[in-house]
Structures are given as C-alpha cells and as structure tokens.
Amino acid sequence: MLITTVLNGKSLRQEVPADKTLLDFLRENGCLSVKRGCGTENCGLCTVWVDGTPVLSCSYPLPRIDGHEVTTLEGVREEAAAFGAYMANEGAEQCGYCSPGFIMAVLAMERELPNPAEEEINAYLAGCLCRCTGYSSQMRAIRKYLEKRHETD
Amino acid sequence: MRQISQKVRKLDAQALVTGMPVYTQDIVQGPYLTVKIVRSPHAHAKILSVDTSKAMKVPGAACVLTHRDVPHVRHTLGGYAYAGSNPYDRLVLEDRVRFVGDAAAIVAAETAEAAERMARLVKVEYEVLPAVLDMDTAEEAPAVVHPEEDYVCKPSIRNDNARNVLACGESGNGDVEKVFSQCDVVLEDEYHTLGNSQCMMETFRSYSFYDKNRKLTVISSTQIPFLVRRTIAYVFGLPISTVRVIKPKVGGGFGAKQSLVTELFGAAVTIKTGLPTMVLFDRRESFTATTTRHEMKLRVKMGAMRDGTVRAVSLYVRENAGAYGDHAMGCVGLSGHKSLPMLGKAEAYSFRYDVLYTNLIPGGAFRGYGATQGCFAVESMVNKMAHALGMDPIEMRLKNIPMEGEVMPAYYGETLTSSHLDRCIRRGKEMIGWDEKYPRRQTGSHTIRAVGMAASMQGSGIGGVDKCFATVRLDEDGCYTVLNGAGDMGTGCDTILAQIAAEVLETDISNVHAAAVDTDYSPYDKGSFASATTYVTGMAVVKACERLIGQMMAEAAAALETPEERLVFQGDCISEKDAPENRISVSDLARRQVTSGNCHAFTATCGHMSQTSPPPLMAGFVEIELDTQTGQVKVLDYAACIDCGTVINANLARVQAEGGIVQGIGMALYENMQFSSQGKMRNNSFLQYKIPSRLDVPPIRVAFDSSYEPTGPFGAKSIGEIVINTPAPAIADAIYNACGVYMTELPFLPERVLNAINNKAE
Amino acid sequence: MASFQNYIFPESLEDAYKLLQANRRNAVIGGNGWLALGRQKLHTAIDLSRLGLDQIRVGPAYVEIGAMATLRQLERELPGSLLACCVKPIAGVQFRNLATVGGSLYSRFGFSDPITALMAMDTTVILHRQGDVPIADFVWQKPSRDIVLGCRIENNGRRAAYQSLRLSATDLPALTVAVSRLGSDWRVVVGARPGKATLAGEASRLLSEGKADAATAASTAAEELSFGSNMRGSGGYRRQIAQVLIARAIEQLHGEGGLAIC
C-alpha cells in the first residue's frame, strides 16, 4: 500500500507491504539507530516517536503512520548529543545498543513530564531495558541533564 | 598519574549516543543470503532423513545444508586459549540432535522471508530417542547423550560417556574428615542454582563473505575474534591466515559471545555458495539455542570452632553441562577454586565434582563463570555458620578471609599478593548502616526490613594460559594508535587500554586513538573474557609503549646527536637532561618517519602472559524488605565496596559494578529458567524471562578501596566478573535475618519464600 | 508478526463490520500488541483509528471509553483513578501508548489488569452489532465476529482498591484483585487466577450484608474461587495471596479510602 509520511522532517511517499514492521521500514529508510532487542514489546530498544509520542516500532502498525510524523534518533541528533554527553560523562552508554531507544524515551519524557521526581522517571522509563548498566548511571545522567536544563531555562 | 583513575569518557561514546551505524547489522551491505537454522523440536533424536526438495522450490532459495554437507570435524564452540580441556563434542550439523533447538539443517535464501519459508519446508524425519532431562538421573539414564566414537577429550578429565559423565575430578589439601571431627560445629547443606540467560541486548549475528584477497571474512558480534578465526579455520580445514574476522561495536556479551554461535553456519553457506551471508538469531533463538549459565547443585560441608574459625570445608558440585561441553570444565573448576579460598584459615579443604551431560541447552560462559554459583553456596554456608555460632557474619568474615601475603591452597596455591578485603568489609558495613540495621526491623504489620552480606573473589585472567598482545604506533601527526585484539563488547576496554597508553606515553587521552579489531591487522589476543583485558592486555600495552619510547629515544639520540642515556622522554618531547633546550618534539619525531631517509617506523608490539591470576575482592551488603504474607522480597539498598586494585577508569569500573550487581539481583530474585517435561525452554522471551527493570532495583552504591597489585598495569586487577557474585548469598542471608529461613535454591521467588516461612511455622 | 495482505481504514463502522464479515481471516487491529507477537495469517487488517473511537468522555452519568483509547490515555486523562492505577505496571510507556482498551477487552485475557478493574465497576461493554453487554457476561462470551466499540462505566461514586502481585515490576501479574464499594454494596473480583477475572459472589454478598470483616471475606473469596498453576505460581500459592491481597484491598476501602472511577 501507498503511505505518505514525514520521517525526521522529510516527506516520504512509499509503497510498502501492509504487514511490514515500522522498525524494518525505518531501518530500510536509513534510520539505523533503531534497534530490535526482543520482538516481544518488552525492551524498548525500538522506541521512536509518532507525532511526538514514544511508541514501539517493532509492533506499531506501519500503515498507521500514513499522514503522520515519525521521528527517530536521526531526527533529533543535536538533542541526543546534548543528553548523550551527560550519559558519556557517567559511562552510562556502555555497549550503547539500548542507547537510541532509551534516549528517545528520555527526550519524550522531558517533553511530557515537568520536573519529574526519580520515581516518576523510573516509572516512565520502565519499558527501557538495559543489561549493562544496572540503571544507576542512567539516572545520574538524567538528573544532571534535567538540572542543567532547569538552570538555563 | 594523569590518565589513570580518571572519569575518562569512552572513546566511542559520541557515536553510540547519537545512534551511529556501528554494529554488525548496521555496517553490512546487501545483497546477501539470509541464513536460517532448522531446529530440532525434540530433546534427543536421530535424524533419519532430510527432504530438501520442497524448500528448494521456494523462490529465492539458495541452498539447504544437512549433516552430509558440512565437514565431519569434532570441535568445541567454547572460546578458550589452547590449553583448554573442553571436549570436542560438536559437529556443525550432525545426524543426531541433542536438545530442543539444536541445529538439524541450515537454509539460505535471497530474503529473510524466503529463508523462513524454507526452514519450515525442510522435512526432517526424526527417530525420537529417550532424553536425559535431569542431571541427577543422568548417570543411570537409558539414554546416552554422546555415544559417538569420534568424541575427543583429554584423558585427564575422566570422561565416561556411557554414564553421561562429561568429567569428574577432585582436589584438596589436608584431611577434611579428620579436621571436621575436631570442629565444634559442622554444618552441611545443598544449594541449587539454575541456568541463566546472558541477555545482552544485541542478539547473536555474523556476516560472512570472501574479501578481495579471497579470504573467508566474518564480521561478527563476538568477544573472541581470534578464537573465532581459529575455530573456523580448524572446522573447515583452512589455513588460519586465509580466514579473517572483524569485530565491529558489540552490543553486550557477558560471556555469551565467548562462544562461537552463528559464525560456523554463515561460513558454511559462504563456502558452499561463494556468496555473502547474514545469520541473525532472534531473541527466542538467543534464549533457546545458544548457551546459559550452568545449572549446579552444590553440597557444602563446613567445620568451625566456637570462636568462629573455619578449619575445614568441603564442596561437592554437580554441574549440568547440557548437551555440549563448551565451557563445562572451566566453570566447574571455578565453582570451587574461587569460592573455597575465601576461607583463608582452613587447614583442610576438599573439592569434588561431577559434570553431567543432559539433553538440555548447553551451559556456557556467563559473567562469573561458575564462581558465582560457588560463591552462592559457600558464602551462604559461612552466613549459616555465623548464625549457628551466634556470631555477626561480618566478624565471621574478618576472622576467616585470606589476608595479603597469605598462600591460598584452594586457589592453585597462589599467594594473595594484594588485598584490601578487610577494609572493604568494614567500609561496606558503614555504607549500609549495619550496626543500626542488623539483623532486622519490623516496619509494618507484615513487612520486615533486614540486611545481609557476602564477600567474594574472582580472578584476573587465566594464569599461565591467557596470552594477549598490543600494538602501539606513533602516527605521522604525533598521535598514537593502540591496536588490540581483545574485543571490546561495550565494557570500554578500548578506552581503558588507551588510558594506560596515555599514562605511559605521558600524553593526553585525546592524543590516543583506538582501532577496530580485525584479525588481518590487530595483534593476537585470546579475547575479552575471564576478567583479563585490563590486567593482561593492559600489561601488553605498557610493554609496547615502553618499547615505543625506546624507539623514539634512539631516533632522538641520532637527531640530536646526543647519547641516548643523556636524554629523557617527557611526553611531548625528548630532551637532554642537563640541557633542556636540546630537544626534539614527539610531533617532529613522528614526521621524521615519513620525511627522513634513515628513520624507521615507530611501532611496537608486545605480548603479555601472567603466571598468576590475582583476585579482585569485594564485599556486598543488601537491605531488603520482606512481605511476610506474600513472600515478596524487595531490594531497598545495595552497597558494595570493591578492591579491584588500581581503578583505571572511575566511571567504567563503577558502571561495571552497578551493572553486575543488578544482574546478580536478577539471578537471585527474578530469572527463573524453566523447561517443559519434554525439555523445551518455557520462558524464552523477555515477556516470560524477566531481567530486572529499573523499577526492580534500587540505586546501587559502589565504593572502591584499592590495593596495589604488583603484577598489574599501574596496580590494577580486574572488575568485570566479580561484581555479579555477592547479591544471591547476601539476599539469601537478608531473608534469613528477616524471617529465619534459609533459601538454598535460586531464584528466591515469593512462593518459595512464603512456603519456607510456612514450613518453619509448622 | 502476523501476516496480512491488506490494511484498510474503514470510513464508517458499518463498513468496518461488513469488512470483518467478508472473510474469516479479516481481523480488527487494535494496538497490534498481541497480533505482532503471533504468527496468524490474516487476509485484511481492519484499522479503526480513523473512526473517532479514541475518546474518553467523563459525563455526569457515565464514563465512556472508546475502544481505540490507549492504556496510556487512561493514565493521562483519568489521573489517580482506578483504571490509571491498574495499567501503570503494564510493560512500559511505549507499549501503553499502543495498547488499546478495545484490544484488552476483546482479548479477554485472564491476566488482564483492566478487565479485573472494570469488572469491579458497573461496566458495560459496547459492541457494534450485539449492543450493550455487561462485562461479567462479555468476558465469558466466545470472541465473536463483532466489533468492540468501547465500554461505559456508571459514574456512580463507586470506589475501588486495586492490588496485584507481580514477580517483577513490569511482569504480567501472578494475581490481580479489585475490590469496590458503593455504599454498602461490595464487589470482590480476582483475576490472573490464572483464569479470567471472576466475581467472588459469596464474599461480595457477606461484605454487602455486613456479615464479614476483611479477613473473613478474603478467606471466603479464596475458598469459593478456583486457582490454577502456571509459570508464575501454583494454584495453592495463588489461593494464599488472593486472601492477602483481598484483605488489603478491603482495608483500603474502609472510610473514604480507595480510588475513584475517574
């Protein structure tokens, strides 16, 4: 079927199989940051935004992006680098494989929750698994990043 | 020191956080064949025939390979240096399948969809055989997992395949039974640990093709590039030099990628067709068709005096190897040799083991590598002994741990050359607030908070076995490149090695670059496992840097027309000691490589092998809240103090510790690998096999109290594995302190805890 | 991932219904959460997302929730409510942004948190053809070739308490409990037994008649319901913790405690 979408700010019209996953579609369109970690909707590695809302691209129906905007890490690289610097300062990226999905979730959280407490941060990001870090360094990075953002606001 | 112990960013951090295409699947280019594996639905069966005709009619089909199409060369997939004693009990494909998920055939097609269809259409006729699904009955079972006559193993492992005994053995010191008879208290118990899945986020994958020089080239997500090369060459009968392995960024390994997993399948198809191939295991295959931590049953007997001195300890381990023995020997050995030495005052110890084959998924390497299981059993028994003696478990540790300078008979007779474990225990005790919290506080009508602790050791590389090289090169712009073959799997060893080089070369880390691992260019390294890279490869870097400085000094002497002994290396330049204005900068020297007729290239390769494996040590402390009505255990706090020798990178060491502890908490509380009565793994997805989420664990608190290890680079030992060991015994002890029940079987599911509480009440 | 050849956004419910009847292998797609896990071979996927079914309306008499409203919408639009509370532990935000109320209802899974909660309220499931069906009847109906349009909950001031036991925070529940109270009328519902959520009739009656305290009601409920075993626990364990969680939920409802519908 023919879909029209805006991918990372660029209009795209493409003929796609109806049952392709959004994840595969995105990788085929050059968004190689998008990773598959589980295939059962539990790991959060494939997180992208549809109209700014974080969703799992492994299961989001591809035809449903027709007429909507899709954003991957490639579309928010500057912001990702800004937050990513805080991760790097903590060593929190480790193997890095979960970083793109995690960062997409963090940036969505930043837009959605004003001034979240640690509990709210953990609840919001609970769907982002990481096997390397044990999460503590990620929390340190988030705290410092959000504090800095508040200072500059 | 300028670079050591700093919070240096990982060299690849920027690429990773901006999602650059740096992993195997990101860098390969089509068109290529997709390879899929036809997997056995049976735990044990003979393959009578394979009908490939329907599969080959699928549009885009390239080939189907059966056991007749691959070399008949017995091998092991476990990555280990040459001296390993793992049996050669595998074929790429065989006319026998030994566990649910074992490979029965390989298919390849132009698209993934076509390959999947082919895999469904290959008709395998099985003769289903009786299966061994329980290691306790393996010796008497009617089925033999490995009846083949061409089975290869060293006689020293005392293999008896007719009884499904992969190996047995014993070691010891002194007469334990005699010492037990002299002890005031002797306790005995059995502990049971399950298989765990490593669950790195990037599942297994590799891409193979012939490069322009007709080398069979494999890009693989692996921890062991050189061992992958060696094994491919061995199995397919190729000269090692005609095989090339490239390791891009790897999305975690934790030991899972210390075995070959996908590489031989892809290579077989590339050899057959001449075409590029991609093998990618999904999460379910990663769970069911690779390797797990070994299930073990560990019987501990311990004898102590009233004053708390443990005088004798014995350990009998039964290890479930699963269907193949990839890492069985190493893991069972560590279960004893890295747990028993913690009883440093024992006059006698005995360690016996049986390793059994079963028709279940093979055991393999997973962080801790057997030491984790041993630690759970032995440390749990130390806690139990402390309670039996009415002693604080901390006092018990301080009385019994080995001290710096002491010989450890159970640790291959090595001397403990560096240890701050006593200080770590005292520090951890303060961090958790032990004196205020031990043993328990009732916090509600049905909630109790309690603390528990455990201590542990691991090793740093494999003494006398692990051989690692490093190359350090001065490039023409005056920057350095460090080449290693270790295989950074995300832990940051490329950065650690660059820091070590920068320290020796007295330069800033920004002047040191890392190179990707490619067996065509990188120096040999046995791979990134056994907590070896910082300690062993790190020393190779130190040596290579020193040799490189020597080369630069010689060239400077010629350039400055000054005898070398009057010169001094100062990082950015080499100058005359007594006449500093007589100098040449490193960047000038670097340029001379490409401008001067006489100047040689400044590049040095050095290898290192340590004859010892100095143990890092740590103490872990946990506070839990137990719900006495549901049996649920929540971890409220975890404090750890670690002696890994000198910390090379303060961030990376800390994150290793935090991550390892959380994996240990997962093992203790959540990760419950289960099999059906037919041997099929029941929880083969993240939906069913729950690794900890961020809601399941508290912030982990880590401190370091570093001793100085004289044989390590700048005093460093290792950090990678030890960190997973303490949570299971510490949490078990906290549960005891909360409600008086001893948990001896992992994981501590609410139902098990509640049953134990109810049984005690009766 | 389920496979299908066509994907259609019908322009009306009647079109959607006709399409669903046209081929046995046509199916309505909700959040795609469960379809993506399966290997079903479908002909046409019917997407209701352009029919305005994603609304949550809070009125004086009813709270109406459209089938395409996501679980995350329950959290955001009904903050602090029973439904917001019961969906919080489900997988993660990215999943709850996909998963729909209609999908949860239609699937009728035993482990469903929303079904357990909705059963404790005065909930009617609205189907396109069949019309209104009380949720207690709906969950036992065989999935039919009808379309779930959403549900309607009486906005009558009923308050509820929700408890679940999960082996880890984001796991499927090993047991779910919802207890509600409207005046003297009590309702005790237990799900993930692991069978479907069920009303504990006797325990509800005793509570409503003022004949049982929390402990008695909880043990009555644990006795009258059946429990089974799966990977997350044995039937025996479920029976024990059902009693514990029901008692806790009842305690939460004494006085003015508990969660509101909206």
Side-chain angles (χ1 to χ4, degrees), chain B residues 405-427:
Chain B
E406 290 179 359
V407 174
M408 299 177 288
Y411 193 55
Y412 323 108
E414 286 191 19
T415 301
L416 187 57
T417 44
S418 58
S419 171
H420 280 185
L421 179 58
D422 52 334
R423 294 163 54 142
C424 290
I425 291 171
R426 291 194 178 92
R427 176 85 182 276

Side-chain angles (χ1 to χ4, degrees), chain B residues 627 629-630 632 688 696 751, chain C residues 166 169 232 234 237 248:
Chain B
D627 184 327
Q629 293 179 335
T630 63
Q632 243 180 341
Q688 306 291 9
D696 295 303
E751 180 167 359
Chain C
R166 293 174 139 81
R232 287 173 175 78
S234 69
Y237 178 65
R248 287 181 190 175

Side-chain angles (χ1 to χ4, degrees), chain A residues 27 37 89 94-95 135 140, chain B residues 10 23 26 283 651 658 692:
Chain A
R27 284 190 65 90
N89 286 342
Q94 280 284 299
C95 86
Y135 307 111
R140 289 194 290 276
Chain B
K10 273 173 68 208
Y23 302 92
D26 304 341
R283 183 57 64 184
N651 273 341
E658 291 166 348

Side-chain angles (χ1 to χ4, degrees), chain B residues 467-525:
Chain B
K467 185 74 187 278
C468 307
F469 287 82
T471 299
V472 184
R473 187 177 76 206
L474 178 66
D475 290 320
E476 65 182 78
D477 62 350
C479 288
Y480 300 97
T481 297
V482 178
L483 295 95
N484 76 76
D488 189 335
M489 61 182 129
T491 52
C493 70
D494 284 350
T495 307
I496 299 271
L497 298 175
Q499 282 179 262
I500 291 172
E503 188 71 29
V504 182
L505 295 165
E506 298 178 44
T507 188
D508 191 78
I509 186 77
S510 59
N511 296 325
V512 183
H513 303 284
V517 180
D518 181 332
T519 57
D520 262 13
Y521 310 111
S522 307
Y524 173 83
D525 194 300

Side-chain angles (χ1 to χ4, degrees), chain B residues 172-184 302-305 307-314 340-341 343-350 400 407-410:
Chain B
N173 181 47
D175 183 344
V176 276
E177 291 306 327
K178 191 174 154 203
V179 183
F180 280 143
S181 71
Q182 299 162 359
C183 288
D184 292 334
M302 192 176 284
M305 305 308 284
D307 72 350
T309 310
V310 174
R311 291 183 55 198
V313 58
S314 71
L340 298 172
L343 299 156
K345 314 300 176 222
E347 299 148 45
Y349 86 90
S350 112
N400 287 290
V407 174
M408 299 177 288

Side-chain angles (χ1 to χ4, degrees), chain C residues 116-129:
Chain C
T116 306
L118 288 167
M119 292 236 334
M121 304 306 229
D122 303 284
T123 307
T124 304
V125 179
I126 308 159
L127 294 149
H128 177 64
R129 224 357 96 90

Side-chain angles (χ1 to χ4, degrees), chain B residues 288-303:
Chain B
T288 56
T290 63
T291 61
T292 70
R293 183 186 297 286
H294 291 89
E295 178 195 18
M296 289 189 193
K297 289 192 173 167
L298 311 99
R299 180 156 280 278
V300 190
K301 189 172 176 184
M302 192 176 284

